[in-house]
Amino acid sequence: QVQLVESGGGLVQAGGSLRLSCVASGSAFIINTMGWYRQAPGKQRELVAAFITRGGTTTYADSVKGRFTISRDNAKNTVYLQMNSLKAEDTAVYYCHADIRVALGRPSYDYWGQGTQVTVSS
């Protein structure tokens, strides 16, 4: 069983910064993708940023490009989301997500963290 544990949310003024962390733990596993989604009240959950292990690429939502940076520490199975120049519209619950398989050739499954609240005051 794999668990994703997030930390780093909170309240910040517009223009400020926050850094989110997500650690994946459990028995041996292979991470296909790992990143962050967010869900604001009354809106659908949306992708914010993610690493795609195969190809070593990253992807960002257009709304956060140039302001947010995703990074990873493979040795610690951890991803970070550095959020700068925060805006009120960034207010949401941020969820860590990982697409993980237990071994090559086995099916992959989605895992989610419990979510961390980010509130940006204007």
Side-chain angles (χ1 to χ4, degrees):
Q1 186 70 12
V2 176
Q3 286 189 319
L4 303 179
V5 178
E6 304 129 332
S7 60
L11 173 64
V12 65
Q13 288 188 331
S17 298
L18 283 174
R19 189 192 195 207
L20 306 182
S21 300
C22 174
V23 181
S25 62
S27 53
F29 51 84
I30 300 169
I31 298 174
N32 296 321
T33 65
M34 192 168 179
W36 297 91
Y37 285 70
R38 68 185 180 187
Q39 188 166 20
K43 294 187 177 182
Q44 289 188 328
R45 192 172 295 189
E46 63 174 356
L47 174 68
V48 177
F51 270 108
I52 302 168
T53 300
R54 189 170 185 177
T57 59
T58 57
T59 186
Y60 291 92
D62 287 342
S63 59
V64 307
K65 285 180 181 176
R67 300 188 299 121
F68 291 10
T69 303
I70 189 169
S71 60
R72 63 193 295 182
D73 184 333
N74 291 332
K76 297 180 179 179
N77 290 320
T78 300
V79 291
Y80 306 95
L81 185 67
Q82 179 66 43
M83 304 184 292
N84 298 328
S85 303
L86 282 161
K87 305 175 182 180
E89 50 264 43
D90 294 317
T91 295
V93 178
Y94 284 68
Y95 296 91
C96 182
H97 167 266
D99 177 63
I100 290 174
R101 65 182 72 237
V102 296
L104 291 174
R106 300 289 298 275
S108 63
Y109 297 92
D110 289 324
Y111 291 86
W112 293 93
Q114 78 282 4
T116 184
Q117 177 70 46
V118 171
T119 303
V120 184
S121 62
S122 56

